[in-house]
Amino acid sequence: MEKSIVKTVPSMMSTSKSMSMSRHLFSLLLSLSFLFLLCRLLFLTRSSHQLISSSSSSSFSLPPSHAHAPALADPCSGRYVYVYDLPDKFNSDILRDCRTILPWIDMCPFVANMGLGPHLTETGSVLTGTGWHITNQWVLEVIFHNRMRQYECLTTNSSQADAFFIPYYVGLDTGRHLWTHNISLRDSLLLELFQLLKSRPEWSVKRGRDHFMLSGRATWDLRRQGDEDHLWGGKLLTLPEVKNMTVLLIEACPWDSDHEFSIPYPTNFHPSNESQIVAWQDKVRSTDRPWLFSFAGARRPGQAGSIRDQVSDQCLKSTRCRLLDCASQENDCDSPATTMSLFQSSSFCLQPPGDTPTRRSAFDSMLAGCIPVFFSPHSAYTQYKWYLPSNYSEYSVYIPEDEVREGRVSIEEVLLRYSEEEIGDMKEKVISMIPGLIYKDPSRQLESVRDAFDLAIDGVLQRVKSTIGT
């Protein structure tokens, strides 16, 4: 019995020891498994973090040299214009005294509506329904000033300006005194202006080489050579200070001035949106033109060298020409509908010189899609270089005035040499030029179309840049 017990105890002890070892081994394996899982988890977590960081860096980060995006380019760089805030006597007071601007006509209706003049409310079938006014040819200073007020790159910081505009209505001011024999009165406001300008720091920086101004009159009204009371015109263009400036006029001197630049006469069409321009172009493109050529104007019997009489005579003798004699009271040549009806019905419009080589009628006729016929190169080809093609045969016909004066050419025969295809191409060229020959309504923003004002500003800025060498 005791032996049995003795034998049994070692056996039980052996079994207990085996079980204990098994438990230790199990615990060890469990610990190792836990450590493996923990390491695996740490590895995956770190790898995931690196992947996210790498992805984020490649998707959104820039290389160090591009860490900061460059600033947007200034759309007005090189185009800033500073407009002088002049005393009212130099502009708005002249408009308030509008009845004195011309001795034979009340100009008050024509300086209204920002210089556009009265609205045309009844345009009939000749004109499209909107955008038309009765605009006087001498009011360009007012229109241009009001367009300048809408210019997108104005600055009140003179140190930022690329050009400086002087809003003095010199043409209207001079016009008030052209028929008086009082030179002191005629020049007083002009001389006062330049005393003011020369006292300003904006002028002294470049002594006027970055300044520009505009006259709604021809150069011949502003280049008086002496100070005797009987002499014609003002003296703006003979002032030494003005030689440095850029001066815009409806007619520039083509041979002895490098600071005068001509810009178009104002017409009666001042659109406020692009659709008005397109509608007008479509209209004149499709209009029937039963007359080969036409002439709207008056004879100049007492004017030496004028070919108006010969042009009128040739038109009267031709069955293919229509004459609108503006000397006759029966013909209202001041009516936009009257003149535009004539021009729209003609393929060619004769533009002989009048009191000066240029004519507003040239721009009225091109607005109607009529091909202009010039008799002097100074009527267009030496003028308006910012506006008209250098190859004048693309849009016009030239007949030397000497040949007309001496009776050595038939205007009708010259024009009959052009084929229908050639006439069509020239007409289309004229129609394509219309947006750049008109002045938009100053009360509206119309950035999609560049008009005569926009082209003038481009020309001024380019001229200033070339003058001051920057």
Side-chain angles (χ1 to χ4, degrees):
M1 182 76 178
E2 289 179 357
K3 288 182 179 180
S4 176
I5 293 173
V6 171
K7 291 180 178 179
T8 303
V9 168
S11 177
M12 292 176 62
M13 291 176 62
S14 176
T15 301
S16 173
K17 183 177 181 180
S18 177
M19 291 177 64
S20 176
M21 291 177 64
S22 296
R23 285 196 296 271
H24 285 299
L25 180 61
F26 176 77
S27 297
L28 179 62
L29 291 173
L30 186 61
S31 298
L32 291 172
S33 297
F34 177 76
L35 289 172
F36 174 77
L37 290 173
L38 182 61
C39 291
R40 179 65 177 168
L41 181 60
L42 289 172
F43 173 77
L44 290 174
T45 302
R46 184 175 181 181
S47 298
S48 176
H49 176 73
Q50 290 176 341
L51 179 62
I52 292 172
S53 299
S54 174
S55 174
S56 175
S57 176
S58 63
S59 299
F60 302 105
S61 298
L62 292 173
S65 61
H66 298 89
H68 300 286
L72 294 175
D74 182 359
C76 289
S77 178
R79 301 177 60 230
Y80 282 107
V81 175
Y82 177 94
V83 179
Y84 277 93
D85 184 16
L86 297 178
D88 290 348
K89 68 174 75 175
F90 296 105
N91 41 58
S92 58
D93 280 354
I94 297 174
L95 302 186
R96 279 190 282 270
D97 199 20
C98 51
R99 286 181 174 82
T100 67
I101 292 175
L102 289 176
W104 62 84
I105 186 174
D106 180 4
M107 287 288 289
C108 295
F110 300 108
V111 300
N113 294 324
M114 299 185 175
L116 305 185
H119 289 276
L120 273 177
T121 54
E122 297 182 6
T123 57
S125 60
V126 176
L127 309 175
T128 50
T130 53
W132 291 91
H133 296 254
I134 303 176
T135 303
N136 187 276
Q137 69 174 11
W138 308 120
V139 297
L140 186 53
E141 293 155 354
V142 186
I143 298 173
F144 197 94
H145 188 192
N146 283 296
R147 285 283 284 114
M148 182 59 76
R149 289 186 171 111
Q150 297 293 332
Y151 180 58
E152 65 273 16
C153 294
L154 292 178
T155 180
T156 56
N157 181 1
S158 62
S159 64
Q160 186 184 37
D162 300 288
F164 295 78
F165 177 60
I166 305 169
Y168 166 44
Y169 298 166
V170 61
L172 296 179
D173 177 36
T174 303
R176 295 187 294 180
H177 310 295
L178 278 177
W179 289 268
T180 62
H181 298 293
N182 189 332
I183 293 297
S184 297
L185 178 62
R186 194 184 305 171
D187 294 341
S188 61
L189 205 55
L190 172 68
L191 298 178
E192 183 179 346
L193 171 71
F194 277 90
Q195 287 298 318
L196 172 64
L197 290 176
K198 289 188 291 184
S199 70
R200 295 284 293 264
E202 296 88 354
W203 176 273
S204 62
V205 173
K206 293 185 172 65
R207 307 194 69 81
R209 289 183 298 157
D210 50 2
H211 284 53
F212 71 104
M213 62 186 300
L214 172 135
S215 170
R217 282 192 168 270
T219 180
W220 323 111
D221 293 333
L222 300 168
R223 49 175 50 242
R224 194 184 73 242
Q225 298 298 320
D227 289 332
E228 293 81 7
D229 282 342
H230 67 277
L231 294 177
W232 175 264
K235 62 186 302 180
L236 169 73
L237 299 174
T238 61
L239 293 178
E241 297 87 350
V242 177
K243 302 296 183 181
N244 288 337
M245 294 172 49
T246 300
V247 183
L248 309 178
L249 308 107
I250 56 174
E251 181 178 330
C253 178
W255 51 77
D256 70 345
S257 176
D258 61 355
H259 65 285
E260 296 180 29
F261 296 86
S262 51
I263 65 176
Y265 284 78
T267 67
N268 295 300
F269 186 44
H270 307 284
S272 58
N273 59 62
E274 184 177 358
S275 63
Q276 292 176 359
I277 299 175
V278 173
W280 176 251
Q281 288 176 302
D282 289 342
K283 174 179 172 53
V284 297
R285 184 178 288 115
S286 60
T287 300
D288 290 333
R289 299 180 185 268
W291 300 100
L292 176 64
F293 62 113
S294 65
F295 173 51
R299 295 172 180 267
R300 293 286 195 276
Q303 184 173 321
S306 174
I307 60 169
R308 289 288 191 95
D309 287 357
Q310 291 89 337
V311 168
S312 297
D313 289 341
Q314 286 204 34
C315 185
L316 284 171
K317 293 176 182 178
S318 172
T319 59
R320 295 182 173 91
C321 184
R322 183 183 171 195
L323 176 67
L324 183 66
D325 184 3
C326 294
S328 173
Q329 294 183 353
E330 297 178 0
N331 299 321
D332 187 4
C333 289
D334 292 328
S335 165
T338 300
T339 54
M340 294 303 283
S341 176
L342 174 69
F343 298 149
Q344 286 182 57
S345 64
S346 310
S347 293
F348 297 94
C349 290
L350 308 183
Q351 302 297 340
D355 296 327
T356 67
T358 66
R359 299 186 73 203
R360 169 182 166 161
S361 175
F363 293 96
D364 290 334
S365 66
M366 287 189 283
L367 178 60
C370 188
I371 303 164
V373 179
F374 296 115
F375 302 87
S376 167
H378 303 313
S379 294
Y381 309 143
T382 61
Q383 310 276 347
Y384 316 112
K385 295 180 180 180
W386 297 340
Y387 301 90
L388 303 179
S390 57
N391 182 1
Y392 65 81
S393 62
E394 291 182 6
Y395 72 96
S396 69
V397 175
Y398 176 60
I399 302 175
E401 58 184 329
D402 286 345
E403 296 186 9
V404 176
R405 186 180 299 108
E406 298 167 8
R408 293 187 283 115
V409 66
S410 165
I411 297 172
E412 180 178 346
E413 290 180 3
V414 171
L415 301 180
L416 284 173
R417 296 172 193 159
Y418 288 86
S419 67
E420 290 186 11
E421 181 179 358
E422 290 174 318
I423 293 174
D425 290 343
M426 295 167 73
K427 183 180 77 170
E428 188 58 37
K429 182 64 177 180
V430 169
I431 293 173
S432 72
M433 292 158 49
I434 288 175
L437 302 179
I438 59 177
Y439 296 91
K440 297 178 292 191
D441 186 340
S443 68
R444 305 293 180 89
Q445 290 281 3
L446 186 53
E447 297 179 0
S448 60
V449 176
R450 295 177 59 73
D451 69 346
F453 168 85
D454 295 314
L455 298 181
I457 295 300
D458 288 348
V460 167
L461 292 170
Q462 184 59 43
R463 199 259 172 175
V464 168
K465 182 179 180 180
S466 63
T467 299
I468 64 179
T470 59

